Amino acid sequence: MREALERPHALRNQHPLRRRSLRSVRSGWPIAALALVIASGCGDENTDTRGGSGGASGANDSGVDGAAASGALGGSAGMGALGGSAGVGGSGGAAGGADGSAGSAGQQSRTYAADDTTTLLNPERGWMLRGSQSIFANARAGDSDHPEGYSVIWSDMGSAPWDGSKGSPFRLDNYKEKALPASLLNELASVFDAARSAGIKVKVRFAYNYSGSGADTTKAWMVSHIGQLGPVLTGNAEAIASMDLGFIGLWGELHGSTSLVNSTQPWWLEPWISARNEVLNALLGATPKWLSIGNRYPLFVRQRFGDPGYAMNVSGAFSGSDQSRVGWYNDCLWTDKSNTGTYSYDVSTQRGDLDRDTFEKIGRYAATSGESCSSAGLTSYSTCSAVLADMALLNGPDTLFRKYWTGMYDRWTKDGCYDEISRRLGYRLQLVSATLPTKINAGSPLSVTLDVRNTGFGKVYNPRPIDLVFVGPGGSFTARLSDDARKHLPLGGQTIKHEWSATAPAGLQPGQSYALFLRLPDPSSKLSPDSRYAIRLANAGGIWNVQTARHDLGASVDVN
């Protein structure tokens, strides 16, 4: 046996992250289901329409000048109806699309219509391209395969390795037994410069070959190279969507290693386990505490964290712990039951189910990515119904490589689910309703309740703030509702109502009225002003303004 004492797959639904709450967008729940819901607890109102994910907690530190930091309160109350007539317009904002009504004393409520048809170009999600800087500039404009555009580029693995003056800096073939040259590190930095200029982010992987027969290098050299790469990666982290562990084996996929260790033992035993863990630990230590590092095989994740059942505690999600940062990449999705060896059904049904369960849990809090694979051709596992169900269970992938294997994607187009998959890859956030103040004092506390639905398969996996923006006399002013909203934004298939506490900006002028807007910018000061890196909510009614990256809440507030 490769692994012992692992928890049966049948226990997966008892994992503490799988929470439900009283309110669901579905109707007609049976009595038994309602009993489970009522027992689920309080705080955020958390609705899981898939039956397969739950809340998480943690915080990260980021900010924008002038934003007022905030705490968070538990939420309650029911959901308003969607749709409605135009609301109050705002200076500098888009036309209103909200149904306005008076709330309790000092509050006003708005509901917002959903956009369920537009494929949105949002950061850190969706279809990926792969290639060099030469494709960056036009990526957001799209191509014939995906005219809606790409926001993530997978690092250039297919080009020739770096040779000192040209090639890909992600291909380390020529430096298996020597230090990386300054020219490679400089070229790597220039890739991230080009990414920022183009308004995209990079999914990073390094490898010592990109073929089915290439060699890698020893653990010592891998760790040494990671030490050299770390400062460049950390210094440009805002341009990185996520990373793959990479380095080891064929294509950097952690299998077929020729040199990691000198051993004839099978790869699932020592000394391979410890060597892989040392490489992973080096990469975790060399990069920011929020950045996800994808692992190719579920077994390797469990071996690293000493958790046979991989039952991660709720409080650890989005915390910056090593375990909370390890995501997955699957480079042979939807081929057969095992995904061409990703899940170990060749060992036993119990082991294969446990592997799937591990990836399902990881998908709730860390970045997930992958590509399809032609190894089995078109099978029952790659039909529209099978893939849609699998994405919902896996909570991903958040990003998917568009150019391979296209035979599967052509099938989705023919069978009518390609557009739905394009819309739902990663997160797809909709603002359902908002409860806002009608009168405030500058510099004093205020509260805002937002009801947000995620109709995507994935989640927002990197730190991101939520800002309430006041527009009126004196310009625009920001109250930061959260520095890191991942805890309070819904996972795939959920709806969450949450009350945020903030401080009204001190610069608001007494006796004046200000229009209210919502903005979800990138947390980096380099990218925060760039609307290409802000999240656009999936709402109709013209509430989104692409120039300001603000959503018009259709409401205004008076300053005492």
Side-chain angles (χ1 to χ4, degrees), residues 128-131 154-161 168 170-174 176 203-216 244 246-255 329 331 370-372 401 404:
M128 294 185 294
L129 290 176
R130 182 174 65 205
W154 192 1
S155 54
D156 183 15
M157 307 303 298
S159 295
S168 170
F170 301 97
R171 289 283 303 279
L172 311 180
D173 309 37
N174 295 320
K176 293 171 183 173
K203 190 190 87 140
V204 172
R205 182 192 296 182
F206 295 94
Y208 295 95
N209 66 79
Y210 209 66
S211 72
S213 59
D216 54 9
D244 297 339
F247 293 98
I248 301 170
L250 305 176
W251 300 285
E253 291 186 13
L254 312 190
H255 60 82
Y329 62 97
D331 290 345
E371 60 183 319
S372 63
F401 181 42
Y404 186 80

Side-chain angles (χ1 to χ4, degrees), residues 5 44 92 166 176 201 209 232 252 296 356 374 464 481 495 531:
L5 301 176
D44 291 336
K166 62 182 185 302
K176 293 171 183 173
K201 294 198 176 190
N209 66 79
V232 181
R296 179 66 179 87
R356 277 196 54 90
S374 63
R464 183 169 291 268
L481 302 182
T495 298
S531 64

Side-chain angles (χ1 to χ4, degrees), residues 136-137 140 191-200 239 527 530 532-533:
F136 286 11
R140 293 181 62 86
V191 170
F192 296 128
D193 287 340
R196 284 185 288 264
S197 178
I200 58 97
L527 303 182
D530 192 334
R532 297 174 297 180
Y533 290 102

Side-chain angles (χ1 to χ4, degrees), residues 543-556:
I543 70 171
W544 166 254
N545 185 309
V546 67
Q547 282 76 35
T548 62
R550 297 172 185 160
H551 301 85
D552 189 342
L553 295 177
S556 60

